[in-house]
Structures are given as structure tokens and as C-alpha cells.
Amino acid sequence: MLRSKKTLLMLALVAAVCVMAEPAMADRLADAIAEAKPTGEPGYLGIPGGPQLNILIGLVWAIWVGWIFSTVGAFGGIMAGVGHITIYGLGDYASSFGKGSQMNKVVTDSIRVSNQWLVGCSAALSSFNYYKAGRLVLPLGIALAIGSVAGSWLVPWLTAGKINLKAYLGYFGLFVLFLGCYLTYETTPKGQAGKKAAKEAAAAFQSSVKKQQEGGDVDLAEMGVKVQKFTPTSCEFTFFGVEFNFNPLIPVVGGFIIAALASFLGVGGGFLLVPFLTSVAGLPMYLVAGTSAMAVFIGMCNSIMSYMLLKQTPVAWGLIGAELIGIVIGSVIGPKTSKFIPDKVLKYIFIALAVYVGVRYTSKGFLGYSLVPPF
């Protein structure tokens, strides 16, 4: 509890500094303003005529973002994107400048890196909380993180300033929709055929949680992840008495590919890590959130620095500061509530969000209008 209060205080102070700071990387933004010649009262990023953002809405939405990411290990960046693109209307605002406009690309990149600030913060807090609870596979998280470093540096360097909003929305939705369909298949009897260990571990964890709720003396952290063996080509660990093993070289390669795609989309990559961890590594959902969060955190640190330092992408520090406070609140609540949600329900939450977000943004990006209503 004391550590949580210290974390809250620290991030509140950081957020207060951010609220008073000016938008970053003014040179690229100034060039875009000079080209577009917008008029009106300064709004988002200080752009004349830009949207006037309510930071209270950002704080409340960020609580949801922090909770969903820390609960299922994914959709933090995607839900942050929904907030920035739809709730704040930054998507329509960027589109109003036309496909080839520098302002369109600056605002699009700003959305991408703003999403990553939120999910990076949530990932850091979630990693710490899940590690304490014995629900983070540290060697697997490190292997994914090693691969993510190169991918999260490469893509911003190649694509920043080159992607317009329409293309971004279309690819954003397409990737999410594909993964929602894939995880739907995994819930079928055929998709579940090779998940014996994951199902056994999930059942053992749920049984222990139930005993704890009934007043039994159960130490969930003590029965959590225990690494038995680690070499460059093999890692073995147990979780609630069930044995798992993987080749560390596979998540290194997977981490590179996932981080590259996530950095392009301006999200954390949890929505790609979840199917990787459940399918390739065969983990139960109770281990996925923490392990995913660790890999996401490393990737986000690299990607944010790439966008902001290499490509001078601006962000609205006042908005980011308010949202970070919400992220802290949601990320502290998530690990405490997720243990009471059945493994299957966690996966169904992921699928429902993936299908909704995927259809909405795929249709908006490629057709020009959304086939489903906003939240």
C-alpha cells in the first residue's frame, strides 16, 4: 500500500510538471502550421483553431485504459487510440487538413506517441505488481524485450512523417480484427486441443483464489512462477505446480516482429503479445498480462524516444500529465481485480474488444465511414 501511495505521488508530481509545460518539439510543428496556415484560438498542441481538450475527460478515460491493459495485458494503446482519435476528435481534425498535408502527419504521429506514453506507464506499473504476485515469467519477458528494442527503434525512424491518418486507421483496424478472429478460433475445441498445461494451471489458480476467498491460508505469490532451468535454448518454469517450457530464441524473434508492428500502429503491442503468449508459449491468461506488460514497457521506452528525439514528434504535455494520473489509478486496480475473473472471460473480453475496434477502424480507414457506432 505504501509503495502504491509513493507511486501515485511521484506520477502526480510528474503530471503537474507536464501540465505546466509547453508542447514538445516545436520546430516540426511550426513548419506544419506555416504550411497549413490555420486560424482561430490556440488548441491542441497550440495549433490555431485546434480542438479544445478537456483534461478531466482524459483522466477518466485513462483509468479505463490502465485497467483494461493491466487486466488482460493488451488493448491499452488501442483504447488510448480510441480516446485520442474518437473521443477527442483528433482523427477527424487530422483528416481535415488533407492526405498530403504535413499537419495531417504531425497530428497522426502525435496520436501514435501519445498512445504509447499511456500504455508505457501502465506497463511499468503492471509489470511490478504482477512480478510481486508471482504472475510474470521474467525470462520470457526479457527475451521478448530484447527483440523489441530493434523493432521499436526501426519503425519510427522509417515511417514518422510519412503516414497519413486514413492509412493509419485502416491498418490499425485490420491488425486488431485479424487477431480477434484468431483468438475466437482458439476458443473452439480444435483451437483448445494443445492447451492442456494452460488449462490445468488456470484451473489450479482459480481453485486457490476460491480457497483464499473462503478464508483459507493460501499464499498465491508463493505458488506463482518458479524458474527451474534457463539456458540460451531452453527455459523451464512452473506455475501452480504445472510445468511449462520454451526456447528463448523464439520470443526474441517474436518480440522484434511484434514491436515493429506495434510501433507502426502507435500502440503498446499487447494485442499481438497476448495471442503469441497463449499460442506459441502456451501460457494461461493469468500469466499473460504481467509478461506482456514487461515486454511492452521496454518497447514503449524505445519507441517514444524514437518518435520524439529522432523525428521531433510533438505531444500535448498537459493532456499527457492528466492521463498519466488516470493510468496509475487503473493500473493499480487491474491486477487486484483480474484474479477474480475466470480465464475464459478474460479471453472473451479481449475478443469482444478486438472485433469491435477492428471493424470500426478498418471500415473508417478503408471505406471512409465506420460500420459500427462509437463507444
Side-chain angles (χ1 to χ4, degrees), residues 26 31 56 76 94 99 106 144 172 178 194 200 222 250 298 313 348:
D31 292 342
L56 182 59
K99 184 176 179 180
V106 166
L144 287 166
F172 181 102
F178 169 77
E200 288 179 4
E222 181 61 29
I250 294 175
I298 301 299
T313 300
Y348 288 140

Side-chain angles (χ1 to χ4, degrees), residues 41-67:
E41 290 294 320
Y44 181 66
L45 298 176
I47 302 170
Q52 301 293 329
L53 307 185
N54 185 329
I55 62 173
L56 182 59
I57 294 175
L59 186 150
V60 174
W61 182 258
I63 293 175
W64 156 249
V65 173
W67 182 85

